[in-house]
Amino acid sequence: MKKKTIIGCVCITLATVVLLGFLQALLVPKYMTQSREGALIAEYYLEKEPDHDVLFVGDCEVYESFTPPTLWEEYGITSYIRGSAQQLAWHSYYLLEETLQRETPKIVVFNVLSLKYGAPQNEAYNRMTLDGMKWSSSKIDAIRASMTDEESFASYVFPLLRFHSRWKELGTEDFTYLFSRDKLSHNGYLMQTRVKGGKSDIEPSPLADYTLPETSMAYLDKMRALCEEKGVTLILIKAPTNDWKYHWYDEWDEQIITYAAENGVDYYNFIPLDDQIGIDWQTDTYDGGVHLNVYGAEKLTAYFGAILAEKHGLTDRSGDAELNALWQEKLDDYYAERNAANE
Amino acid sequence: MQFTSLSFVLFAAVTVGLYYLIPKRAQWWLLLAASYVFYFFAGAEYLLFILYTTCVTYFTARWMQSRADREDAYVLANRDTMEKSARKEYRANEKKKRFRILVGGLLLGFGMLAVLKYTAFVLTGVNGILSAFGASGINIPSLLLPLGISFYTFQSMGYLIDVYRKKTHAEQNFFRLALFVSFFPQLVQGPISRHSSLSEQLFSEHSFDGFSFRSGLARVAWGFFKKMVVADTAMIGVKGLVEGSAFTGAYVFVLIVLYSIEIYADFTGGIDITIGLSQMLGIKLAENFDRPFSSRSTKEYWRRWHITMGTWFTDYVFYPLSVCTPMQRLSKWSRAKLGAGLGKRIPVYLATVVTWFLTGFWHGAGLNFIVWGLLNCLVILVSQELQPLYNRFGAKFPRLVASKPWEKWQMVRTFLLMGLIRSLDCYRDVGRTFRLWGTMFTKFNWGELFSGGMTSFGLTLAEWCVIGCGVVLMYLASRLGQDEPVREKLARRPVLLCACVCLLVLAILVFGAYGIGFDASAFIYDQF
């Protein structure tokens, strides 16, 4: 084959690869205006030198229930939430593993709701958690642990294979955020300012078996061992909810209490403490009691901040000028969004 | 491992790469190993069935061959002492013995196919009769249907008949025969090859030929495009039309056209992958299509569509049946009783009916397939009977029948007629199919199609555009390739070919109907 032919073929192949890269960037969902929780995991990497006292891991109950700016403002405690929608126990474990390679917080807080799931649930939620992770051995293991039967590893390496059919539904968002994304969260907290109170009268249905799945409990144990190895304190929590669909059964609670007692881990179930925290289910939720809105989240954060400071000895770092300047910026952003919603 | 899976692409790439790296004398061993690995991944339990067919074919052929060799040796040794009539009688006797061996082999080979493919169908029929008499039915066992069993059984049995007819020599090496039966590119959906043309290519040594490789690669990419972009997108609409009970009248017409597009893109796409991949390995397989939708009659259509199956049935069923002793007796009788004209045609027509019945039955164990075969037969026979009428019409209007519009009309007519009969394959239920055909003439809902109807059965406007572009591209490729296939023209200009392949890959990756949100669909002919 002539040299000219070889060069021509190489150029065309390279151009195709570049075009494929462009198409992939265009076709993957941007999560900027819809399903915004899909953007949360990737935002962690925007932290230049991550240094947090507290790391929250878990599902929507974490990124909707705790506001790191409030924790800083009231207690001088730095924190970050590595949470995403329906983040399962193994997602949380591998995210924790990856995060602990970047920083060593004093406390890791894990929300226990996801322990009820023993198997991969939903491909869309897998993508929201896993696509946002940077490539590492933790991500590879997380993908392997999470894939549903219909998924393939190749589609995580080349998301185009998963999202190619979105060419039919491309919108302005896809072009606007083709090369850069907005920052949506406040250290992993996704602000919800709407108010939609209420309580369902429906009683949760009884279950045939209340045993928490072995798989998820094994990942909880791995999280505990990892924290122990890194010298980090693990705290288990259950965020408050007021909806029958996401009911936290007493039988599940007892298993967590037993686990915590056996392993010397603190566990706080905030469901029965809602009055003490001051949560008003008419004003502090944006979806009828499933999740807290920003007003409820601030109350819970203030309550939990006191526990962290008093019981777990986290000190006020607001005297650190550099840290203060950094967090002041975060607070400004936080209040800008909060106030904009109130106007 | 489906043809359209990423694992198959990697598997094929590794096989082709290794094929040219290893010593040439080991190439066929690599193909045998690759074929069995491919089949293993299709289903480990399927290996037993292909091994069974290989053993039956090998030992039957060897037995016939040894008898034929002995016969020849005996005749040769006694050529001076043996009378011509004695020699003839001896040969006839020997042929009878070989025929018995052949029948045994065919029974064993086709027997397995019959048991696996048709048991449920037959027992369902028996149960229907039993229930009519109030008797309890027989349990219908759930049997495996190994991938490509119809294709490799037909290819193997064709080989046995060729050995019997002394058209080909029985393979001495068991492993060589195993490769002939299991050659992985053609295992799933043909073409049905002949031993005389394939074996030499499989076992000869192949050096890398850039032109052949490039042309094969382009054909593979084109095949993937047809299957994954056109056929699998059209399948969404076909499925919607078949599953929805409200899609009658004009929608039946849409189904006929859409399914014709789907099956053409699906089957020719699969064959393009098969032949293209074989070409990359230096092996030239028989063509299976010759622009079938440009046919002007049903007979012509069947000379251009699934050619290797058509010739198989012609050579191994129709001709032997037409000249067999009972048929000759029938011919004699019918000439005497019904006159020379009709009497001569009766045995031919009977052989045609049997051939088409078997063709339908080969496609699937279902009444719809039998009716499909017999309707094709009916159209062919009626056309044949009406030929004198056509001739008279042609003589009266010579300019009309020689004109382009007339030619186009004949093509459209054949396309629609074949599509209509083919819709039995979609609806499956014969009664429902006939009722739906009826609604085309009783329910005039064409207006609905243009007021949202075309996007009411699963296909979006965007997907219709993809199918439309695919059809235009397939038409252009067919037109431009009349004198020489487009891929071969391109293979002489490697840079242009590279650009075309890259564009096809891009189109497949973006517009292909694969992955989550789409039903993973096997090739339609995989199930036959």
Side-chain angles (χ1 to χ4, degrees):
Chain A
M1 214 185 269
K2 286 178 195 165
K3 198 177 166 186
K4 218 168 137 184
T5 307
I6 293 170
I7 292 170
C9 289
V10 169
C11 288
I12 287 168
T13 310
L14 285 176
T16 307
V17 171
V18 171
L19 194 55
L20 273 175
F22 171 80
L23 286 171
Q24 179 160 291
L26 180 66
L27 291 168
V28 293
K30 313 298 182 293
Y31 303 118
M32 288 289 107
T33 53
Q34 286 179 341
S35 305
R36 297 188 308 152
E37 56 271 33
L40 299 180
I41 293 297
E43 286 192 0
Y44 173 73
Y45 307 107
L46 298 174
E47 294 283 296
K48 285 188 185 112
E49 286 171 14
D51 168 25
H52 303 105
D53 298 322
V54 180
L55 181 75
F56 291 90
V57 281
D59 49 19
C60 52
E61 288 194 349
V62 179
Y63 69 73
E64 296 294 25
S65 299
F66 298 95
T67 71
T70 306
L71 208 52
W72 170 259
E73 193 175 30
E74 296 204 11
Y75 300 96
I77 295 170
T78 60
S79 61
Y80 201 97
I81 301 167
R82 294 220 77 186
S84 60
Q86 208 185 69
Q87 184 171 298
L88 303 174
W90 40 95
H91 292 146
S92 291
Y93 169 74
Y94 290 111
L95 273 170
L96 177 65
E97 185 184 72
E98 187 216 30
T99 313
L100 292 187
Q101 278 167 7
R102 292 167 186 270
E103 60 172 314
T104 310
K106 294 183 181 72
I107 290 173
V108 165
V109 179
F110 173 65
N111 185 59
V112 294
L113 177 66
S114 61
L115 292 175
K116 69 176 180 173
Y117 299 113
Q121 296 289 307
N122 186 314
E123 186 265 345
Y125 289 129
N126 270 348
R127 302 298 312 203
M128 284 190 197
T129 306
L130 301 169
D131 279 341
M133 286 177 81
K134 276 193 174 174
W135 280 102
S136 66
S137 61
S138 299
K139 176 164 176 165
I140 293 169
D141 293 340
I143 293 169
R144 286 197 177 132
S146 311
M147 278 195 296
T148 53
D149 291 340
E150 56 186 353
E151 291 178 78
S152 69
F153 190 85
S155 75
Y156 282 95
V157 181
F158 305 108
L160 177 72
L161 298 176
R162 166 63 186 90
F163 297 111
H164 66 99
S165 58
R166 285 194 71 248
W167 66 269
K168 288 174 273 187
E169 58 204 50
L170 285 176
T172 46
E173 177 179 299
D174 293 293
F175 294 94
T176 310
Y177 299 103
L178 183 56
F179 298 114
S180 67
R181 308 274 202 277
D182 287 345
K183 194 167 179 287
L184 296 183
S185 82
H186 304 277
N187 272 36
Y189 170 67
L190 189 66
M191 190 184 290
Q192 303 288 353
T193 52
R194 276 172 296 130
V195 176
K196 190 192 166 198
K199 189 187 175 189
S200 164
D201 291 331
I202 303 169
E203 280 297 311
S205 344
L207 304 181
D209 182 9
Y210 290 93
T211 315
L212 289 169
E214 268 179 40
T215 322
S216 56
M217 290 304 282
Y219 275 100
L220 172 62
D221 217 40
K222 286 176 87 168
M223 274 190 260
R224 187 191 53 74
L226 184 64
C227 287
E228 213 169 271
E229 185 194 318
K230 297 276 182 178
V232 179
T233 304
L234 176 69
I235 296 176
L236 305 179
I237 57 136
K238 173 65 189 80
T241 47
N242 196 15
D243 187 271
W244 66 276
K245 273 186 282 186
Y246 299 92
H247 184 70
W248 179 250
Y249 291 92
D250 291 342
E251 290 82 353
W252 290 346
D253 202 50
E254 280 159 21
Q255 290 169 69
I256 302 297
I257 291 169
T258 309
Y259 179 88
E262 282 173 359
N263 292 282
V265 176
D266 282 326
Y267 170 52
Y268 302 98
N269 180 358
F270 294 117
I271 297 170
L273 301 177
D274 52 358
D275 285 341
Q276 215 172 313
I277 296 164
I279 293 169
D280 177 350
W281 287 108
Q282 292 306 313
T283 57
D284 293 340
T285 167
Y286 71 93
D287 52 8
V290 182
H291 304 99
L292 297 176
N293 59 19
V294 67
Y295 314 110
E298 284 176 353
K299 289 175 188 172
L300 178 64
T301 308
Y303 185 86
F304 187 49
I307 296 173
L308 290 173
E310 289 159 19
K311 200 171 168 201
H312 295 279
L314 289 187
T315 50
D316 186 343
R317 294 170 73 190
S318 56
D320 183 329
E322 203 180 323
L323 212 53
N324 214 353
L326 178 76
W327 276 90
Q328 193 52 52
E329 251 179 69
K330 291 178 190 274
L331 278 169
D332 291 345
D333 287 346
Y334 178 78
Y335 281 112
E337 188 179 344
R338 194 180 190 277
N339 296 338
N342 289 336
E343 280 164 11
Chain B
M1 200 191 309
Q2 279 193 13
F3 261 26
T4 50
S5 65
L6 198 61
S7 44
F8 178 76
V9 174
L10 292 173
F11 169 78
V14 169
T15 305
V16 172
L18 284 174
Y19 188 74
Y20 290 111
L21 287 174
I22 60 171
K24 290 192 183 74
R25 64 179 183 281
Q27 282 173 328
W28 73 269
W29 282 103
L30 174 76
L31 291 183
L32 178 63
S35 299
Y36 270 76
V37 168
F38 172 79
Y39 211 55
F40 173 81
F41 281 109
E45 62 277 23
Y46 296 169
L47 286 174
L48 277 177
F49 298 96
I50 202 166
L51 270 172
Y52 167 84
T53 302
T54 308
C55 289
V56 166
T57 310
Y58 177 76
F59 290 112
T60 309
R62 290 292 304 144
W63 194 3
M64 284 192 291
Q65 189 65 57
S66 68
R67 287 212 75 99
D69 291 345
R70 245 184 294 160
E71 174 193 326
D72 290 344
Y74 182 82
V75 169
L76 192 70
N78 298 289
R79 68 174 183 267
D80 300 331
T81 55
M82 234 177 164
E83 294 269 326
K84 196 179 173 184
S85 59
R87 196 162 62 227
K88 209 173 166 184
E89 196 187 329
Y90 172 74
R91 283 214 185 267
N93 269 335
E94 279 302 309
K95 196 176 177 187
K96 266 185 199 165
K97 283 174 192 165
R98 277 190 292 116
F99 184 71
R100 277 188 221 122
I101 299 168
L102 171 71
V103 169
L106 294 179
L107 284 175
L108 287 172
F110 283 126
M112 184 182 72
L113 178 67
V115 168
L116 295 177
K117 198 167 172 177
Y118 303 107
T119 300
F121 174 71
V122 172
L123 289 182
T124 307
V126 170
N127 282 348
I129 296 167
L130 288 175
S131 74
F133 289 100
S136 57
I138 306 162
N139 265 348
I140 298 173
S142 158
L143 297 171
L144 275 176
L145 189 60
L147 187 74
I149 186 170
S150 297
F151 286 98
Y152 69 70
T153 303
F154 268 54
Q155 181 162 305
S156 307
M157 297 303 107
Y159 159 74
L160 279 188
I161 298 170
D162 282 349
V163 171
Y164 164 75
R165 289 175 176 171
K166 296 185 178 175
K167 280 189 171 179
T168 195
H169 209 271
E171 195 61 72
Q172 287 199 18
N173 185 326
F174 178 82
F175 297 104
R176 284 181 179 239
L177 184 80
L179 176 58
F180 169 71
V181 176
S182 67
F183 180 49
F184 77 93
Q186 62 160 43
L187 188 60
V188 178
Q189 51 179 336
I192 304 169
S193 298
R194 304 295 170 95
H195 184 259
S196 50
S197 59
L198 183 61
S199 61
E200 200 187 316
Q201 296 190 71
L202 282 177
F203 309 119
S204 55
E205 298 178 355
H206 297 280
S207 302
F208 182 81
D209 171 11
F211 178 83
S212 189
F213 186 87
R214 288 194 295 274
S215 174
L217 180 68
R219 191 163 187 175
V220 169
W222 180 234
F224 275 113
F225 173 82
K226 284 202 272 187
K227 164 66 181 159
M228 294 177 75
V229 178
V230 185
D232 287 354
T233 307
M235 186 197 73
I236 300 167
V238 169
K239 215 174 156 200
L241 285 165
V242 171
E243 285 171 0
S245 56
F247 299 120
T248 55
Y251 291 100
V252 181
F253 176 81
V254 176
L255 176 105
I256 287 169
V257 175
L258 198 59
Y259 186 58
S260 298
I261 294 169
E262 184 201 342
I263 198 165
Y264 174 81
D266 185 283
F267 197 13
T268 62
I271 289 294
D272 281 337
I273 297 170
T274 295
I275 298 181
L277 180 56
S278 304
Q279 200 178 342
M280 288 168 79
L281 296 163
I283 294 161
K284 195 169 170 13
L285 293 180
E287 288 295 339
N288 221 16
F289 295 94
D290 178 18
R291 296 183 297 119
F293 290 159
S294 62
S295 306
R296 295 164 67 180
S297 68
T298 311
K299 213 170 178 180
E300 186 188 353
Y301 171 84
W302 279 110
R303 279 198 303 269
R304 291 164 171 267
W305 177 277
H306 206 172
I307 297 167
T308 56
M309 183 205 67
T311 52
W312 196 98
F313 274 103
T314 306
D315 292 351
Y316 301 122
V317 179
F318 179 76
Y319 286 144
L321 203 59
S322 306
V323 297
C324 69
T325 315
M327 209 59 105
Q328 279 173 342
R329 277 192 205 130
L330 176 70
S331 174
K332 219 171 178 179
W333 178 86
S334 57
R335 275 180 214 218
K337 301 279 178 193
L338 305 166
L342 187 61
K344 195 172 69 180
R345 294 206 294 277
I346 281 193
V348 178
Y349 284 4
L350 188 62
T352 310
V353 171
V354 172
T355 304
W356 277 105
F357 173 83
L358 291 174
T359 306
F361 211 41
W362 175 85
H363 276 83
L367 194 61
N368 60 317
F369 290 111
I370 296 172
V371 173
W372 169 87
L374 294 177
L375 277 178
N376 271 292
C377 175
L378 183 71
V379 172
I380 290 170
L381 295 184
V382 168
S383 308
Q384 221 155 297
E385 282 301 309
L386 294 177
Q387 195 55 48
L389 204 68
Y390 296 147
N391 293 344
R392 279 207 296 277
F393 181 81
K396 207 167 183 184
F397 304 102
R399 284 179 64 189
L400 175 70
V401 294
S403 67
K404 276 276 166 198
W406 183 257
E407 187 185 309
K408 297 290 172 203
W409 145 248
Q410 285 182 309
M411 284 181 194
V412 172
R413 180 201 59 186
T414 308
F415 172 82
L416 290 177
L417 189 58
M418 289 293 92
L420 184 79
I421 298 174
R422 201 185 292 119
S423 65
L424 277 159
D425 183 17
C426 300
Y427 293 124
R428 301 273 158 158
D429 183 285
V430 178
R432 185 184 173 213
T433 311
F434 286 164
R435 277 194 300 280
L436 286 167
W437 287 357
T439 64
M440 288 170 73
F441 306 100
T442 55
K443 190 175 176 186
F444 298 99
N445 54 347
W446 289 87
E448 259 180 54
L449 296 181
F450 304 100
S451 53
M454 292 294 274
T455 51
S456 64
F457 44 85
L459 281 177
T460 61
L461 186 62
E463 283 161 342
W464 272 113
C465 291
V466 169
I467 295 170
C469 291
V471 169
V472 169
L473 279 176
M474 288 192 295
Y475 175 74
L476 287 176
S478 170
R479 290 286 293 180
L480 295 171
Q482 273 176 319
D483 51 339
E484 183 189 24
V486 176
R487 60 185 172 274
E488 288 186 10
K489 289 176 186 167
L490 287 172
R492 275 194 289 277
R493 302 172 70 181
V495 179
L496 191 58
L497 180 127
C498 178
C500 288
V501 169
C502 286
L503 278 175
L504 284 174
V505 170
L506 277 172
I508 293 163
L509 286 175
V510 177
F511 302 117
Y514 66 90
I516 290 171
F518 295 99
D519 280 342
S521 66
F523 286 94
I524 294 172
Y525 266 72
D526 286 8
Q527 62 196 297
F528 295 150

